[in-house]
Amino acid sequence: MDIRADICVIRFAELSTKGKNKKDFVKLLRKNLIEAMRQFDGVKVVGSFDRIYVHLNGADDSVVLPRLQQIFGISTISLAVKVSQDMDQMREVAIALMKREAKTTFKVVTRRADKTFPLVTDQINRAIGEAILMNTDHTVDVHNPRIKVLIEIRPGEVYITVNTVQGAHGFPAGIQGKALLLLSGGIDSPVAAHLSNKRGIELECIHFQSPPYTSQAALSKVLGLARKLTAGQSEIRIHIINFTDLQLQINHFIPESYRITIMRRMMIRIADELAKKRKCKALITGECVGQVASQTLDSLQVISDVAILPILRPLVMFDKNDIIAIAEKISTYEISIRPYEDCCTVFTPVNPVTRPAIYKAEFYEKAFDFSPFVIECVEKSETIFVKYNEKRAEDTLF
Ligand code: ATP
Ligand code: MG
């Protein structure tokens, strides 16, 4: 008997959420799921208070399931087969599903949402359990079964499930509102993006480029990374800042050892301005203590000093290996290691200060009036929309 899954049953993660919070959580998760399922013809998302059902309507579960596993806010996903309220049919499907599994232990668990069904939970458990025992090699283990055969009796229909997989957990992206991520072409900031999405933060990105010192290919690389990030939120806005004029000013007026520090402070000022315009509640970076000269505690202090919004640094205590492991999992690593210049690298001084002081940074910044440059950077920013699964010409450039 060839059976295909009809429905994916979605259970929620982080169930500490209650009352109104839970309502918002479910509403947003459903919206994110509808968005993510748009690419599959016929697939329908139907919500209830404690679950969401994704009706496949003929779509291939082996393609839909991996996409569902990328959506934050889901604890587990079960593939269910829909049958009518008929014990013979229920037995037949349960046996067929369990025949596909290698010899294992199981237990039948019934949820009787439709109280008019003539048999009670215990009777259904026993009947289906016996049928599986008689027709397969599996054995029953009521305490610690490897497979739970879930039977859900609903008005007019029954869902049968043997296959439950883990979801991405976390919170639905957007439940916390928006933050602005400083996205470079490196390994770290895309990982910071992923972790932020998982905490329920929706992102807009800001990227600094310095043409002609940075190339179109470097920008394509960043757009390629953003495309990968649309696994966590279906579309992302990237604000491209032309940083060249301000960097040339920095190069001209600021002593070499402080250039990186001042450049970072300018990036934060610009990001702050833009975040205000875009109603973002925080800035996010891929910074990590100790990684490079600009990421010592002293540097982080001097950089943070100019920020108005909080700067979130999800990777601040991570080891590089752990960051790379996540980058590989979310498929950004491959793109990040491609060798294109970043606006930071083209102007990197030989000996950047590792222990900058706020008063010195402030003193050097008095050498020129940077405010008009900051304002111009924000005003002349260009916005690019990147969507899940959409191919653009730039994607092929790198
Ligand atoms: P990454 O791997 O994310 O590039 P990194 O280890 O190379 O980080 P830095 O180059 O010092 O470290 O950058 C630290 C953080 O500053 C980045 O994680 C990113 O958030 C931000 N950043 C750096 N360069 C840019 C840029 N060109 N545009 C936007 N943000 C940037
Ligand atoms: Mg970098």
Side-chain angles (χ1 to χ4, degrees):
M1 183 176 173
D2 183 33
I3 333 176
R4 293 178 66 159
D6 301 301
I7 294 147
C8 301
V9 183
I10 310 268
R11 295 177 197 85
F12 311 142
E14 311 265 2
L15 261 183
S16 52
T17 42
K18 292 207 180 77
K20 161 110 173 47
N21 285 348
K22 182 169 175 190
K23 224 167 154 183
D24 292 345
F25 182 110
V26 176
K27 209 166 127 191
L28 186 60
L29 178 57
R30 186 160 32 160
K31 177 172 162 278
N32 291 352
L33 280 168
I34 290 171
E35 198 56 54
M37 292 296 106
R38 223 180 268 286
Q39 66 177 119
F40 303 110
D41 282 344
V43 171
K44 271 191 92 160
V45 178
V46 179
S48 78
F49 183 66
D50 59 351
R51 277 138 198 256
I52 292 174
Y53 299 94
V54 174
H55 293 258
L56 293 171
N57 291 325
D60 183 352
D61 59 65
S62 67
V63 189
V64 175
L65 189 59
R67 182 71 187 112
L68 289 173
Q69 286 180 292
Q70 294 177 322
I71 307 299
F72 292 116
I74 294 175
S75 66
T76 57
I77 307 162
S78 300
L79 286 175
V81 177
K82 189 165 80 175
V83 298
S84 55
Q85 282 194 358
D86 172 85
M87 280 304 285
D88 285 338
Q89 231 193 82
M90 287 155 63
R91 274 194 204 91
E92 195 183 337
V93 167
I95 294 166
L97 287 173
M98 287 303 280
K99 274 192 172 161
R100 290 189 198 163
E101 305 291 325
K103 187 171 183 235
T104 186
T105 56
F106 77 97
K107 170 187 178 178
V108 181
V109 181
T110 301
R111 243 175 80 133
R112 200 161 145 270
D114 177 4
K115 303 291 179 211
T116 64
F117 191 75
L119 300 183
V120 295
T121 327
D122 253 8
Q123 291 171 311
I124 302 167
N125 287 346
R126 204 164 314 136
I128 303 289
E130 270 173 23
I132 295 171
L133 268 178
M134 307 282 277
N135 290 281
T136 68
D137 294 337
H138 306 306
T139 50
V140 172
D141 180 345
V142 285
H143 300 297
N144 206 3
R146 210 191 57 73
I147 292 181
K148 276 191 191 154
V149 180
L150 306 173
I151 313 272
E152 191 173 334
I153 315 275
R154 298 163 51 82
E157 59 193 13
V158 175
Y159 296 169
I160 303 180
T161 296
V162 300
N163 199 352
T164 298
V165 298
Q166 288 296 309
H169 296 267
F171 294 92
I175 197 112
Q176 290 287 345
K178 272 193 309 189
L180 186 63
L181 170 81
L182 281 77
L183 178 66
S184 69
I187 297 167
D188 304 327
S189 38
V191 174
H194 171 79
L195 296 177
S196 306
N197 273 163
K198 184 165 183 176
R199 287 295 95 199
I201 301 172
E202 185 188 342
L203 298 172
E204 292 199 10
C205 298
I206 180 169
H207 175 71
F208 296 86
Q209 63 168 5
S210 303
Y213 305 96
T214 57
S215 62
Q216 186 61 32
L219 177 61
S220 300
K221 182 183 168 185
V222 172
L223 298 183
L225 287 171
R227 179 98 52 225
K228 293 288 180 194
L229 297 180
T230 56
Q233 68 180 63
S234 292
E235 60 176 40
I236 297 192
R237 229 179 242 261
I238 306 165
H239 306 278
I240 311 290
I241 304 289
N242 191 332
F243 206 33
T244 317
D245 289 347
L246 186 46
Q247 277 196 310
L248 291 173
Q249 295 288 313
I250 292 171
N251 262 25
H252 188 254
F253 287 107
I254 307 292
E256 192 180 330
S257 65
Y258 262 73
R259 279 180 202 156
I260 287 270
T261 310
I262 305 296
M263 188 190 76
R264 293 258 170 239
R265 283 161 64 94
M266 296 301 170
M267 282 182 165
I268 295 297
R269 288 183 173 111
I270 293 165
D272 241 334
E273 268 311 304
L274 186 75
K276 199 164 65 188
K277 269 175 71 174
R278 297 295 314 153
K279 301 204 168 26
C280 295
K281 300 174 191 171
L283 305 181
I284 299 178
T285 75
E287 287 164 310
C288 174
V289 170
Q291 224 184 58
V292 287
S294 61
Q295 297 178 25
T296 60
L297 267 193
D298 297 273
S299 288
L300 293 177
Q301 185 197 13
V302 177
I303 294 164
S304 303
D305 194 58
V306 299
I308 299 164
L309 291 174
I311 304 180
L312 309 183
R313 298 178 166 102
L315 306 179
V316 76
M317 303 299 179
F318 275 48
D319 286 344
K320 195 77 190 182
N321 286 345
D322 297 331
I323 298 173
I324 289 176
I326 300 176
E328 282 174 335
K329 201 181 96 193
I330 62 171
S331 312
T332 52
Y333 185 68
E334 231 180 69
I335 301 176
S336 294
I337 57 174
R338 293 187 184 162
Y340 287 107
E341 66 293 335
D342 184 66
C343 70
C344 306
T345 48
V346 284
F347 290 99
T348 302
V350 193
N351 277 317
V353 59
T354 53
R355 307 193 62 185
I358 293 176
Y359 78 91
K360 282 194 185 171
E362 284 174 348
F363 173 76
Y364 291 137
E365 281 172 352
K366 290 204 174 81
F368 72 107
D369 184 11
F370 57 80
S371 311
F373 290 93
V374 169
I375 292 167
E376 188 173 320
C377 279
V378 177
E379 279 177 355
K380 292 202 172 151
S381 67
E382 278 178 45
T383 306
I384 300 179
F385 262 108
V386 172
K387 291 190 174 174
Y388 186 82
N389 243 0
E390 169 203 57
K391 272 260 167 248
R392 290 167 67 121
E394 304 93 58
D395 291 358
T396 54
L397 267 174
F398 59 87

